[in-house]
Amino acid sequence: MTQAALTPLLHEIQQIHENTPDLTGFGPWPSDLTYAHRAPVSAPVVALLPGRLTTLAAAAPYLEWRRTYRADEVGDDFLNRYGYVELFGPQGHFHSTQLRGYIAYWDRRLDYGWHHHEAEELYFGLEGTPEFLSQSKPSVTLHPGQTRHHAPWEVHSMKTHDTGFLCYALWRGPGLAGLPEMT
Ligand code: ZN
């Protein structure tokens, strides 16, 4: 059953969340989580996932992998080597209206172009050293265990270089159920 396949991943993320002050400061671990079945959707990125999350490989076939963008926006190579899941949130595998939590992966040498969204965002690096760029603050190289914050409607982008980037990302506030848009 899918819930049993996804619960270890939820618990691994919960452990990371509750042991990381930057994450609990952005939003406490949701208290309203309920399982919500979502049909699995595969994507080529599943074959590329790194091993930093020990429960991810077993859960991957049961996850709804999303890509959001169209080939004419980001190109086929990007779509073949990127993907994310909404682990919890308004449309997540576990429903919450308090906070939205994603697991996302970009393979090496991808350019996630300028985009924005209403919700406030916090990235938490799990593996890899991507470059985060913003139109309102200096760019940084994010190392595992570090966070990168984006304010509502902040225009930002991200590039991976010699390493892929696995992250846990959070959204909160107005626009929680929205989507990012290229700018
Ligand atoms: Zn963002």
Side-chain angles (χ1 to χ4, degrees):
M1 149 153 206
T2 306
Q3 182 174 3
L6 300 186
T7 297
L9 178 61
L10 185 74
H11 287 165
E12 185 175 11
I13 291 294
Q14 181 178 6
Q15 287 292 313
I16 292 168
H17 189 112
E18 292 184 331
N19 287 307
T20 307
D22 282 354
L23 295 173
T24 54
F26 186 82
W29 181 253
S31 60
D32 65 342
L33 293 176
T34 54
Y35 176 71
H37 180 73
R38 301 193 68 87
V41 175
S42 194
V45 73
V46 170
L48 304 173
L49 296 172
R52 167 62 182 83
L53 292 172
T54 59
T55 59
L56 182 57
Y62 301 94
L63 292 167
E64 180 194 36
W65 290 92
R66 299 181 192 166
R67 289 177 279 180
T68 302
Y69 301 107
R70 302 185 311 269
D72 64 292
E73 294 176 297
V74 296
D76 287 326
D77 183 47
F78 189 93
L79 293 180
N80 285 332
R81 296 193 296 126
Y82 134 90
Y84 73 94
V85 299
E86 182 178 339
L87 184 61
F88 60 84
Q91 292 111 31
H93 289 278
F94 296 86
H95 185 264
S96 175
T97 59
Q98 298 172 354
L99 199 63
R100 200 173 188 187
Y102 307 98
I103 296 166
Y105 181 69
W106 288 262
D107 205 24
R108 65 187 66 190
R109 295 189 188 87
L110 290 177
D111 183 353
Y112 184 12
W114 296 110
H115 60 281
H116 68 178
H117 40 79
E118 182 179 16
E120 194 178 350
E121 176 175 67
L122 191 71
Y123 273 91
F124 178 73
L126 292 167
E127 185 164 324
T129 51
E131 179 184 4
F132 273 85
L133 301 93
S134 168
Q135 292 187 355
S136 45
K137 63 192 180 217
S139 61
V140 297
T141 296
L142 193 78
H143 293 272
Q146 294 181 332
T147 56
R148 175 72 161 175
H149 176 264
H150 298 124
W153 299 119
E154 179 174 344
V155 179
H156 52 285
S157 72
M158 188 274 290
K159 294 177 182 175
T160 55
H161 296 292
D162 291 340
T163 60
F165 176 48
L166 180 70
C167 72
Y168 170 49
L170 295 173
W171 276 15
R172 72 177 181 190
L176 189 70
L179 283 172
E181 294 177 351
M182 293 290 177
T183 61

